[in-house]
Amino acid sequence: MTQTPKNIAIIGSGLVGSLLAIYLRKKRHEVTVFDRRPDIRTVEFSGRSINLAMSNRGWKALRGVGLEETIKQIAIPLDKRAMHVNGKEVYFQHYGKQGEAIWSISRGVLNRKMIDLAEEAGAVFRFNEKVWDVNLPETKVYTGESEKNKWKEYQYDLIFGCDGAFSRVRHKMQRRSRFNYSQHFINVGYKELTIPPNEDGTHKLDKNSFHIWPRGQFMLIAMPNLDGSFTCTLFLPFEGEVSFENITTEKEAKQFFKTYFPNVSKEIENLTKDFFKNPTSAMVTMKCYPWTYWNKVALVGDSAHAIVPFYGQGMNAGFEDIDKLNELMEEHGDDWDAIFEAYQEQRKPNADAIAELSYRNFMEMSSKTADTKFLLQKQLEKKFAEKYPDKWIPVYSRVTFSERPYAEALAIGDAQEEIMKEIMKMPDIGAIWDSEEVEQRLLELLST
Amino acid sequence: MTQTPKNIAIIGSGLVGSLLAIYLRKKRHEVTVFDRRPDIRTVEFSGRSINLAMSNRGWKALRGVGLEETIKQIAIPLDKRAMHVNGKEVYFQHYGKQGEAIWSISRGVLNRKMIDLAEEAGAVFRFNEKVWDVNLPETKVYTGESEKNKWKEYQYDLIFGCDGAFSRVRHKMQRRSRFNYSQHFINVGYKELTIPPNEDGTHKLDKNSFHIWPRGQFMLIAMPNLDGSFTCTLFLPFEGEVSFENITTEKEAKQFFKTYFPNVSKEIENLTKDFFKNPTSAMVTMKCYPWTYWNKVALVGDSAHAIVPFYGQGMNAGFEDIDKLNELMEEHGDDWDAIFEAYQEQRKPNADAIAELSYRNFMEMSSKTADTKFLLQKQLEKKFAEKYPDKWIPVYSRVTFSERPYAEALAIGDAQEEIMKEIMKMPDIGAIWDSEEVEQRLLELLST
């Protein structure tokens, strides 16, 4: 169905805001994008970002407006994890079947490109213009120099809040009665670090891998950039024995890298410099409901469902919101009530599911990577999945390499976990895990 | 330990704010209480309140400043529930042992009295003065006519946020990183209704009972006032077959009361009048953490932990906060860092526990009161508790008639529930519940 062109405000010029602008322009709506920050194309990056891992859901949304190939040119495919365990050679774990990969993209590079594309599509960007208030029933937007100065008023037909985890638009919705809301911070923070390229511009580590240095309570990851560098992220508790709180001098930082990450010790000067230059950031799971206000205002992306980054799905989930919104616009045409109602009803359980899966990944990484029983279970599952790829699709693949609902992935994953619980109870499982007996029992449990 | 007198602001002149003012005045602090509302002693009540049920924790806090007897004069003891089930005679369930009672108090009457007492104690009240902002590190309070007008600035040594579930003080803390927060509304609303006194000023229903008309998805309760009236509360889903949404005309309201509450049908004119006069209110569980900011700002009562009213513990929990704060002031003297740190660490698990218990009571009332297995279990527990009062103290008694931590009541309640699950699995339990065999099994499970 076609839509009558509307005058639409998008608050936030991040990835979700700019992709939504492109989608809405395709439907011939007038689009203005507000952002309190300056144009990211004119400033240095913040030094607080984690490289993105674009996977199937993200690509599908880009494909919908013909941008998949354009964006692949600024992305690097990673078909495996490279595990850096002290005292072992680096070893590799392929993600999925042949050809399946996640794609590393610099958030800043992608955001600049998306804004270019949105402008080309006819969206108007108003940078350095902070939205202080929103009149929800009258779809008015108020901007200004400060909260107390005189505000400028704009009138729109529709407003989309794409202004992230600390959304101002949601903030306004939150003041209404019966608005459910939660924000939960984890006790681990993160810091962006960099491994620069070799002098000849090549990558210092395998370019097509997602590099992980798992250390139980903390971990380092590295993802490649086009210029030969790696954007690394150090995840570390805020407080405690090994923590941000306890690394305050250069000497302590160097000792920390040397002790726990000896195979990157050649990079120690850079890592230490970045450690003190870049901010330490917190991570939050934010849930809320409703996501829409009448047929007037809707939250999209992190403003509706911020998640911790341990599944690499934050951007993918936000882009999938847009893909689904687009499907609903095609189905319902000008009936924005129906579009918004179906949007929040369909997306909410999926957003909750990926929030849960991401949080569990965090818990697993920080508490279970040293648990031999857990590792045995993972090994057993992997073997079975490889032998019976149609009977046992791992949750990671369902989330990353499929476009089926997140809620389905979570539910099937829980059912698989129940089966594995039974298997792990088998006597002497440590010795027989690789046996015909275990395999038969698994097949039996799967068929009941 | 004694304390150096400080200049303290309390935001909110409700029950918790005024009792805290009295406590702080006893320690010779200067106390100013701000409230955005007018002096409750000069205005009519809101028509949106539920009568309070003061129980042991509340009385203990009042006793601490010598006010137990004063307040008992405006309270009515209720030693039992009066159950109004259609087609049955009204029947009574005693709350506890001889002499154990909860006390019905009108929120408005109590609040007026508490403000009188706080003023007598030397606290200064600034009514009609809304706090728009708080500078947390500098303990400054900003008030004014509107958010955008010029504000007045006040400087204090300490600030207490006693400004309820939608606290402005907490709102400011919430904007900081790593502040955990959740608000969850239930799908049931409530409305205040009144049963007036008889012409001679006596009560129309038994005066010393907490009256309940349980109807599964909804319920009516009534609590006595000193003037012979009852303050009733109708709890009803916002949407659905029988709901606020579906009662929009006088005719519908009268039909509703006649159908579901026939034994108060003489009151139908009053109930119907109130139904349309009084607002429908929402109920929220609000949790957050931390509750304090350095040694400068602390949240007390609903601003730190708002709960649904189905355990009658909201005010009691807030008063207990004050009692514990007072203990910590005596222990730590001028070390406000230690006072605030211990306060939030001790109180948070207990606040979470009473939130959980209150929510469970809501779920039980709305989904389980028609479940025969649930009712059988309750009957069995009751019988056992009466026979072995030292071995089986019901959770309700632990919450209501003791001053042991809420978290302990919840934990013991969960352990009891596990035992009852085992008992309810016994073959033919419906027939043998009253037998020696069941009793022995219960004793056995209790001793393991």
Side-chain angles (χ1 to χ4, degrees):
Chain A
M1 273 170 102
T2 58
Q3 291 189 308
T4 312
K6 297 277 186 186
N7 193 13
I8 298 179
I10 293 175
I11 319 301
S13 73
L15 301 171
V16 166
S18 42
L19 181 60
L20 181 60
I22 295 168
Y23 265 88
L24 293 172
R25 284 298 302 146
K26 290 264 166 186
K27 300 219 170 306
R28 298 182 308 118
H29 298 294
E30 292 301 315
V31 176
T32 308
V33 184
F34 290 87
D35 205 303
R36 67 186 169 87
R37 293 165 303 184
D39 186 341
I40 192 175
R41 295 168 300 185
T42 66
V43 294
E44 273 201 56
F45 297 140
S46 67
R48 67 186 322 143
S49 86
I50 305 172
N51 263 29
L52 301 163
M54 185 86 72
S55 58
N56 282 34
R57 296 165 204 270
W59 290 122
K60 176 164 188 271
L62 288 168
R63 203 179 310 136
V65 280
L67 294 178
E68 184 176 12
E69 292 314 313
T70 311
I71 302 301
K72 279 201 168 159
Q73 284 164 28
I74 54 169
I76 297 170
L78 315 179
D79 59 357
K80 57 193 176 303
R81 291 190 195 94
M83 303 298 289
H84 299 256
V85 176
N86 283 348
K88 271 194 187 179
E89 280 290 296
V90 177
Y91 62 95
F92 298 94
Q93 299 173 331
H94 280 266
Y95 274 122
K97 298 171 223 154
Q98 192 65 31
E100 282 180 340
I102 60 174
W103 295 67
S104 172
I105 311 184
S106 150
R107 177 179 292 271
V109 169
L110 178 61
N111 205 159
R112 286 175 176 173
K113 183 76 187 172
M114 297 293 296
I115 293 173
D116 280 342
L117 293 166
E119 269 187 353
E120 280 168 27
V124 174
F125 282 78
R126 302 189 69 93
F127 295 106
N128 293 306
E129 191 162 347
K130 168 146 183 161
V131 172
W132 288 102
D133 198 10
V134 172
N135 180 323
L136 302 172
E138 297 176 26
T139 44
K140 285 179 181 162
V141 168
Y142 299 90
T143 68
E145 287 288 308
S146 82
E147 191 145 19
K148 300 208 71 173
N149 271 28
K150 204 169 151 41
W151 290 342
K152 210 163 156 184
E153 178 185 303
Y154 298 87
Q155 167 77 61
Y156 292 95
D157 302 318
L158 291 164
I159 298 171
F160 287 95
C162 304
D163 45 347
F166 302 99
S167 168
R168 198 80 190 178
V169 180
R170 186 191 66 232
H171 187 257
K172 194 60 196 273
M173 290 167 73
Q174 196 178 332
R175 292 206 196 172
R176 305 178 62 231
S177 191
R178 301 182 67 198
F179 186 81
N180 290 334
Y181 178 79
S182 72
Q183 61 184 44
H184 176 261
F185 287 85
I186 57 175
N187 53 12
V188 165
Y190 73 89
K191 199 183 272 286
E192 182 183 320
L193 306 170
T194 308
I195 294 179
N198 288 314
E199 279 186 21
D200 64 358
T202 56
H203 289 83
K204 284 193 174 144
L205 303 165
D206 181 76
K207 175 186 166 181
N208 293 111
S209 294
F210 179 61
H211 294 267
I212 310 184
W213 291 256
R215 298 294 182 266
Q217 298 290 310
F218 56 98
M219 126 176 121
L220 181 70
I221 64 169
M223 295 176 82
N225 296 312
L226 291 173
D227 65 1
S229 67
F230 280 87
T231 299
C232 307
T233 313
L234 173 66
F235 295 98
L236 185 69
F238 284 106
E239 290 97 18
E241 204 187 319
V242 183
S243 69
F244 281 115
E245 184 188 55
N246 281 344
I247 303 175
T248 56
T249 65
E250 270 207 17
K251 197 179 151 202
E252 284 164 350
K254 283 182 180 170
Q255 189 57 50
F256 169 73
F257 288 117
K258 211 152 62 181
T259 308
Y260 295 108
F261 311 105
N263 75 341
V264 285
S265 63
K266 270 180 285 179
E267 305 307 322
I268 216 157
E269 292 300 329
N270 268 306
L271 295 171
T272 303
K273 192 188 77 199
D274 285 351
F275 188 92
F276 292 103
K277 190 183 80 186
N278 289 336
T280 304
S281 301
M283 286 170 282
V284 69
T285 301
M286 190 288 302
K287 296 179 182 179
C288 68
Y289 204 77
W291 290 3
T292 63
Y293 179 86
W294 302 351
N295 57 359
K296 304 279 191 181
V297 182
L299 305 173
V300 185
D302 280 5
S303 65
H305 50 79
I307 61 181
V308 294
F310 302 97
Y311 228 111
Q313 286 292 313
M315 173 198 52
N316 288 288
F319 278 16
E320 195 174 60
D321 287 347
I322 297 171
D323 179 47
K324 298 301 170 191
L325 255 178
N326 186 59
E327 280 179 15
L328 292 164
M329 289 192 277
E330 307 215 318
E331 188 181 338
H332 297 290
D334 282 337
D335 187 349
W336 286 95
D337 277 302
I339 293 165
F340 281 2
E341 192 54 31
Y343 162 66
Q344 65 179 2
E345 280 180 15
Q346 286 178 19
R347 292 303 291 160
K348 173 66 174 164
N350 291 307
D352 286 348
I354 192 61
E356 174 66 19
L357 286 164
S358 303
Y359 184 74
R360 285 190 195 173
N361 252 19
F362 161 64
M363 295 298 286
E364 256 182 28
M365 282 179 343
S366 50
S367 65
K368 291 195 182 163
T369 46
D371 176 342
T372 52
K373 196 148 186 195
F374 174 78
L375 295 174
L376 175 66
Q377 178 180 328
K378 287 287 150 196
Q379 195 175 9
L380 204 165
E381 276 182 64
K382 187 160 183 282
K383 186 204 142 206
F384 189 77
E386 277 165 8
K387 184 153 179 190
Y388 297 99
D390 298 332
K391 288 187 195 292
W392 193 281
I393 304 172
V395 186
Y396 184 83
S397 297
R398 292 180 187 275
V399 167
T400 311
F401 303 121
S402 104
E403 287 139 27
R404 300 284 310 159
Y406 287 127
E408 180 185 285
L410 176 62
I412 293 174
D414 283 347
Q416 288 176 340
E417 189 61 30
E418 283 305 308
I419 288 174
M420 287 311 299
K421 254 193 207 162
E422 287 302 308
I423 295 292
M424 295 305 287
K425 277 187 206 158
M426 289 174 75
D428 214 12
I429 184 70
I432 64 164
W433 72 273
D434 206 11
S435 68
E436 176 72 16
E437 182 192 351
V438 170
E439 188 176 316
Q440 286 307 318
R441 180 80 182 118
L442 237 169
L443 287 167
E444 190 186 305
L445 286 166
L446 262 177
S447 66
T448 54
Chain B
M1 274 167 98
T2 58
Q3 292 188 308
T4 312
K6 297 277 186 185
N7 192 14
I8 298 180
I10 294 176
I11 318 302
S13 73
L15 301 171
V16 166
S18 42
L19 181 60
L20 180 59
I22 294 168
Y23 265 88
L24 293 173
R25 285 298 302 146
K26 288 264 166 185
K27 298 219 171 306
R28 297 181 309 116
H29 298 294
E30 291 301 315
V31 177
T32 307
V33 184
F34 290 87
D35 204 304
R36 66 187 171 85
R37 292 165 305 186
D39 187 342
I40 193 174
R41 296 168 300 186
T42 66
V43 293
E44 273 202 56
F45 296 141
S46 67
R48 66 186 324 144
S49 87
I50 305 172
N51 263 30
L52 301 164
M54 185 87 72
S55 59
N56 283 36
R57 296 166 203 268
W59 290 124
K60 175 162 190 270
L62 288 168
R63 201 179 312 134
V65 282
L67 293 178
E68 184 176 13
E69 292 313 314
T70 311
I71 302 301
K72 279 203 168 156
Q73 284 164 31
I74 54 170
I76 298 170
L78 316 179
D79 59 358
K80 57 194 176 301
R81 290 189 196 95
M83 304 298 289
H84 300 256
V85 176
N86 282 347
K88 273 194 185 177
E89 281 290 297
V90 177
Y91 63 95
F92 298 94
Q93 299 173 332
H94 280 264
Y95 275 121
K97 298 171 223 153
Q98 192 67 30
E100 284 181 338
I102 60 175
W103 296 67
S104 171
I105 311 184
S106 150
R107 176 179 293 269
V109 169
L110 178 60
N111 205 159
R112 286 175 176 172
K113 183 75 188 171
M114 297 294 295
I115 292 173
D116 280 343
L117 293 165
E119 269 187 351
E120 281 168 28
V124 174
F125 282 79
R126 302 189 70 94
F127 295 107
N128 293 307
E129 191 162 349
K130 168 146 182 159
V131 172
W132 288 102
D133 199 8
V134 172
N135 180 325
L136 302 171
E138 297 176 27
T139 45
K140 285 179 181 160
V141 168
Y142 299 90
T143 69
E145 286 289 308
S146 82
E147 191 145 19
K148 300 209 69 174
N149 271 28
K150 204 170 150 42
W151 290 341
K152 212 164 154 183
E153 178 185 302
Y154 297 87
Q155 167 78 61
Y156 292 94
D157 301 319
L158 291 163
I159 299 171
F160 287 94
C162 304
D163 45 348
F166 302 99
S167 168
R168 197 80 188 178
V169 180
R170 185 189 68 232
H171 188 258
K172 193 60 194 273
M173 290 167 73
Q174 196 181 331
R175 291 205 197 174
R176 304 179 62 233
S177 191
R178 302 182 67 199
F179 186 81
N180 289 335
Y181 177 80
S182 73
Q183 61 184 44
H184 176 259
F185 286 85
I186 56 176
N187 52 14
V188 165
Y190 74 89
K191 199 183 272 286
E192 180 184 320
L193 306 170
T194 309
I195 295 178
N198 289 314
E199 279 186 22
D200 65 357
T202 57
H203 290 83
K204 284 193 173 142
L205 303 164
D206 181 77
K207 176 187 166 181
N208 294 111
S209 294
F210 178 61
H211 294 268
I212 311 183
W213 292 256
R215 298 293 182 267
Q217 298 290 310
F218 57 98
M219 133 175 115
L220 182 69
I221 64 170
M223 296 176 81
N225 296 312
L226 291 173
D227 66 1
S229 67
F230 280 87
T231 298
C232 307
T233 313
L234 174 65
F235 296 98
L236 185 68
F238 284 105
E239 290 97 19
E241 204 187 320
V242 184
S243 69
F244 281 115
E245 183 188 56
N246 281 344
I247 303 176
T248 56
T249 65
E250 272 207 15
K251 200 180 148 201
E252 284 164 350
K254 284 183 179 169
Q255 190 55 51
F256 168 73
F257 288 117
K258 211 151 63 181
T259 308
Y260 295 107
F261 310 104
N263 76 340
V264 285
S265 64
K266 271 181 285 180
E267 305 307 324
I268 215 157
E269 292 299 330
N270 269 305
L271 295 172
T272 303
K273 193 187 75 200
D274 284 351
F275 188 92
F276 292 103
K277 191 184 78 186
N278 289 337
T280 305
S281 301
M283 287 169 281
V284 69
T285 301
M286 190 287 302
K287 298 180 182 179
C288 68
Y289 204 77
W291 290 3
T292 63
Y293 180 86
W294 303 351
N295 56 359
K296 303 279 190 181
V297 182
L299 304 173
V300 186
D302 281 4
S303 66
H305 50 80
I307 61 181
V308 295
F310 302 97
Y311 228 111
Q313 286 293 315
M315 173 200 49
N316 288 289
F319 278 16
E320 195 175 58
D321 287 347
I322 298 171
D323 179 46
K324 298 301 170 192
L325 256 177
N326 187 58
E327 280 179 17
L328 291 165
M329 288 191 279
E330 308 215 316
E331 186 180 338
H332 297 290
D334 281 337
D335 187 352
W336 286 94
D337 277 304
I339 293 166
F340 281 3
E341 191 55 31
Y343 162 67
Q344 65 178 2
E345 278 180 15
Q346 286 177 21
R347 292 303 290 160
K348 173 65 174 165
N350 291 307
D352 285 348
I354 192 60
E356 174 67 20
L357 286 163
S358 303
Y359 184 75
R360 285 190 195 173
N361 252 19
F362 160 65
M363 294 300 285
E364 255 182 27
M365 284 180 341
S366 50
S367 64
K368 291 195 181 161
T369 46
D371 176 344
T372 52
K373 196 149 188 195
F374 174 77
L375 295 173
L376 175 66
Q377 178 179 328
K378 288 285 149 197
Q379 198 175 6
L380 205 165
E381 276 182 62
K382 188 162 182 281
K383 188 204 142 208
F384 189 78
E386 277 165 9
K387 185 153 179 188
Y388 297 99
D390 298 331
K391 288 187 193 292
W392 193 280
I393 303 172
V395 185
Y396 185 84
S397 298
R398 292 182 187 274
V399 167
T400 311
F401 303 121
S402 104
E403 287 139 26
R404 300 283 310 158
Y406 286 128
E408 180 184 285
L410 176 62
I412 293 174
D414 283 348
Q416 289 176 340
E417 189 62 29
E418 285 303 309
I419 289 174
M420 287 310 299
K421 252 191 209 162
E422 287 301 309
I423 296 292
M424 296 305 287
K425 279 187 207 159
M426 290 174 74
D428 215 13
I429 183 70
I432 64 164
W433 72 273
D434 207 11
S435 68
E436 176 71 14
E437 182 192 351
V438 170
E439 189 178 315
Q440 286 307 318
R441 179 79 183 120
L442 238 168
L443 287 167
E444 190 185 306
L445 286 167
L446 262 177
S447 65
T448 55

